[in-house]
C-alpha cells in the first residue's frame, strides 16, 4: 500500500515544545537528579532531545514493551521485550514515551515500575491522542494533543519506516 506523509507539526514546533518541557522538568526537579526511562523505540528521539534541555543531573535507561505489530491498531496485548539495565529503587523516574494512544502501554509500564519502588515516578509524552484512550492514565508532561490520525516521525514509525523524519506527519493511505 502506498502512503504519503502530510506535515502536522514542523521540526521547529516540536523542538520549541521539547525545550519548554525541558525547562519545566529542570524547574520541577531542582536540586535533584532525574532518571529518564525511554520507552523504545519510539521514545528515543524525544528522550535524547529532551535530555539535552534538562539542566539538573540526568541518568538514562531504556525499556521496550510492545503492544503493536506493524499495523496501525493496537492489539491490546502488552509484553516486555527488553527490561531496564539498572534498578530504579529510590530514584526520581520519568518515563518518556512518543505517544499515548489507548494508554495501555504506559499504564502497564507504570504498574510494573511502581513495584520496583522508585522515590517518585512521572510520565512524559511528546504526543497524546485523547480520543482513543481506553485505559485512564495520568500523564504529567504532554507535548501536543493531536487528533485521531496515524502519525510518524520523530521516533514514530509505520511498519518501522519514517522514524527518522525530523517532524511529525500524518500518514495518508492511498
Ligand atoms: P497505547 O498502548 O495504545 O497507548 O499505544 C502506545 C504505542 O503505540 C506508542 O508508544 C506507539 O509506539 C504506538 N502508536 C500509537 N499511535 C501511534 C501512531 O499514530 N503512530 C505510530 N505509533 C503509534
Ligand atoms: Mg512507543
Amino acid at each position: 500500500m502506498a502512503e504519503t506523509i502530510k506535515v502536522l507539526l514542523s521540526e521547529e514546533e516540536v523542538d520549541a515544545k521539547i525545550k519548554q518541557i525541558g525547562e519545566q522538568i529542570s524547574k520541577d526537579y531542582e536540586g535533584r537528579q532525574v532518571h529518564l526511562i525511554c520507552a523504545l523505540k519510539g521514545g528515543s528521539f524525544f528522550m535524547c532531545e529532551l535530555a539535552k534541555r534538562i539542566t539538573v543531573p540526568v541518568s538514562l535507561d531504556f525499556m521496550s514493551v510492545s503492544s503493536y505489530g506493524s499495523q496501525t491498531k493496537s492489539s491490546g496485548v502488552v509484553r516486555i521485550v527488553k527490561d531496564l539495565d539498572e534498578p530504579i529503587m529510590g530514584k526520581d523516574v520519568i518515563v518518556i514515551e512518543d505517544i499515548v494512544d489507548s494508554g495501555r502501554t504506559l499504564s502497564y509500564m507504570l504498574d510494573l515500575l511502581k513495584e520496583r519502588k522508585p522515590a517518585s515516578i512521572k510520565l512524559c509524552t511528546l504526543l497524546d491522542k485523547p480520543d482513543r484512550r481506553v485505559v485512564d492514565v495520568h500523564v504529567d508532561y504532554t507535548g501536543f494533543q493531536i487528533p485521531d490520525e496515524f502519525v510518524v516521525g520523530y521516533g514514530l514509525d509505520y511498519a518501522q519506516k519514517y522514524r527518522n523524519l525530523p517532524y511529525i506527519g500524518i500518514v495518508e493511505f492511498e
Side-chain angles (χ1 to χ4, degrees):
M1 191 171 15
E3 68 268 353
T4 54
I5 312 298
K6 190 180 86 186
V7 178
L8 175 67
L9 298 162
S10 70
E11 183 172 3
E12 291 72 25
E13 286 175 278
V14 175
D15 288 347
K17 182 67 78 175
I18 294 176
K19 186 162 179 260
Q20 245 178 47
I21 300 174
E23 285 166 1
Q24 186 64 51
I25 289 175
S26 305
K27 233 165 79 187
D28 294 350
Y29 287 82
E30 216 183 311
R32 290 188 281 166
Q33 172 165 340
V34 283
H35 190 62
L36 304 182
I37 293 181
C38 173
L40 292 171
K41 302 172 186 159
S44 57
F45 288 67
F46 176 38
M47 181 171 87
C48 292
E49 289 307 308
L50 181 64
K52 290 194 284 182
R53 302 297 189 178
I54 296 176
T55 54
V56 299
V58 169
S59 54
L60 308 173
D61 206 343
F62 301 84
M63 180 174 232
S64 182
V65 302
S66 161
S67 69
Y68 268 73
S70 56
Q71 303 303 312
T72 58
K73 291 277 179 272
S74 171
S75 63
V77 180
V78 184
R79 66 193 170 93
I80 296 189
V81 178
K82 181 218 169 292
D83 204 341
L84 298 174
D85 291 337
E86 311 281 344
I88 57 168
M89 188 180 279
K91 294 180 184 171
D92 289 309
V93 169
I94 307 177
V95 179
I96 311 292
E97 251 288 25
D98 49 1
I99 188 165
V100 188
D101 187 28
S102 70
R104 283 192 189 100
T105 307
L106 265 188
S107 91
Y108 173 82
M109 281 183 77
L110 191 61
D111 289 348
L112 191 96
L113 295 175
K114 270 183 178 165
E115 284 172 21
R116 302 182 187 183
K117 307 274 184 276
S120 67
I121 185 160
K122 285 192 181 179
L123 304 180
C124 174
T125 185
L126 180 59
L127 305 175
D128 181 12
K129 282 197 253 184
D131 295 348
R132 298 203 7 112
R133 196 74 84 257
V134 173
V135 182
D136 188 29
V137 53
H138 173 77
V139 181
D140 301 279
Y141 303 100
T142 299
F144 303 91
Q145 291 204 335
I146 63 165
D148 181 10
E149 303 272 9
F150 196 79
V151 292
V152 291
Y154 231 99
L156 291 136
D157 73 303
Y158 169 61
Q160 299 303 326
K161 285 189 297 183
Y162 306 117
R163 290 192 197 275
N164 58 318
L165 295 179
Y167 55 88
I168 302 289
I170 295 176
V171 183
E172 293 181 333
F173 300 98
E174 277 141 33

